[in-house]
Amino acid sequence: MDIDTFWDIIETAQAGAAETGEPFDEVLVKQLADRPRQEILEYAERFDELQDALYRWDVWAAAYLIGGGCSDDSFMDFRAGVIALGCQWYQRVATDPDSLAGHPDVVQAANVRDRSEVLFHEDVNYAASGAFERITGDADAFYEAWQGFRGTDTESDDVVDMGEDFDFDDDKEMSRRLPRLAALFLGPDHREGAPVVP
């Protein structure tokens, strides 16, 4: 599956979710379940590649600000959420994570105390396996097929270059690296729990 086909699937699911009011991940599972199993596996491969490309400290710092903290598992959910935004937003974030300060959901999140759901979409990580389960009725069917698809050598020995590490709890450093997001989430009004007006 080429990358354009992958993004077509994501954007068609976005449109379907907007039209029906169903959650994005459920629409995505339904769409994938209508495809041949090989294509679902290829989708999962592209998804993993896109997730891996966002495995960087600067992107994690953005997730940390937006989510009010961000564990390793939550960072996986955040990257899934960025993919769910579609190709244009994904490319913006990959180029400049601070650009998320311009996304309407992120701006709205700055005014919400519990913002753990904004852009953190755990279920999107499991759309391919959900599609396999829908087709086969077997919760493990995807993982068995995935092992056959990827072979036994699925672990990479490559060291991931995450860029320069820095302290997410250092407000000055966060403001230097992600000025727009820091202005939304670290401003004096935010600290006191008052609504933020961007």
Side-chain angles (χ1 to χ4, degrees):
M1 175 178 294
D2 64 30
I3 196 66
D4 290 338
T5 302
F6 176 90
W7 287 121
D8 285 346
I9 291 170
I10 295 293
E11 286 158 14
T12 301
Q14 285 177 330
E19 185 178 319
T20 64
E22 291 180 82
F24 169 80
D25 60 281
E26 291 177 20
V27 175
L28 181 58
V29 167
K30 288 178 188 175
Q31 288 189 354
L32 289 172
D34 287 339
R35 292 179 171 267
R37 294 181 196 190
Q38 177 70 18
E39 285 189 24
I40 299 171
L41 293 167
E42 291 170 0
Y43 162 90
E45 186 174 46
R46 294 289 86 75
F47 183 87
D48 284 355
E49 289 169 358
L50 290 164
Q51 270 238 354
D52 290 349
L54 291 179
Y55 195 72
R56 302 186 334 232
W57 291 118
D58 58 347
V59 178
W60 202 331
Y64 193 89
L65 284 171
I66 293 167
C70 184
S71 68
D72 192 36
D73 285 346
S74 293
F75 186 40
M76 186 169 80
D77 301 343
F78 179 83
R79 289 177 286 144
V82 171
I83 292 169
L85 293 177
C87 183
Q88 288 187 348
W89 271 104
Y90 178 90
Q91 289 174 346
R92 283 185 200 173
V93 173
T95 302
D96 176 19
D98 200 35
S99 67
L100 278 168
H103 193 281
D105 292 345
V106 174
V107 172
Q108 184 177 5
N111 292 302
V112 178
R113 283 186 185 273
D114 179 16
R115 54 186 190 269
S116 59
E117 297 300 313
V118 176
L119 297 189
F120 291 79
H121 296 297
E122 179 180 7
D123 292 340
V124 175
N125 288 307
Y126 307 108
S129 60
F132 258 79
E133 184 173 2
R134 184 178 288 252
I135 293 167
T136 65
D138 179 359
D140 296 324
F142 170 78
Y143 303 101
E144 293 165 7
W146 183 249
Q147 187 171 6
F149 178 70
R150 293 299 300 262
T152 55
D153 184 25
T154 56
E155 295 297 319
S156 172
D157 294 329
D158 296 338
V159 176
V160 177
D161 180 7
M162 294 181 64
E164 183 184 354
D165 188 6
F166 56 98
D167 183 358
F168 295 170
D169 290 318
D170 181 337
D171 289 358
K172 287 183 179 177
E173 188 66 13
M174 292 291 263
S175 294
R176 185 177 75 79
R177 292 176 183 262
L178 299 165
R180 294 174 62 202
L181 284 170
L184 280 176
F185 294 102
L186 297 178
D189 291 338
H190 174 74
R191 286 182 199 286
E192 295 162 12
V196 175
V197 180

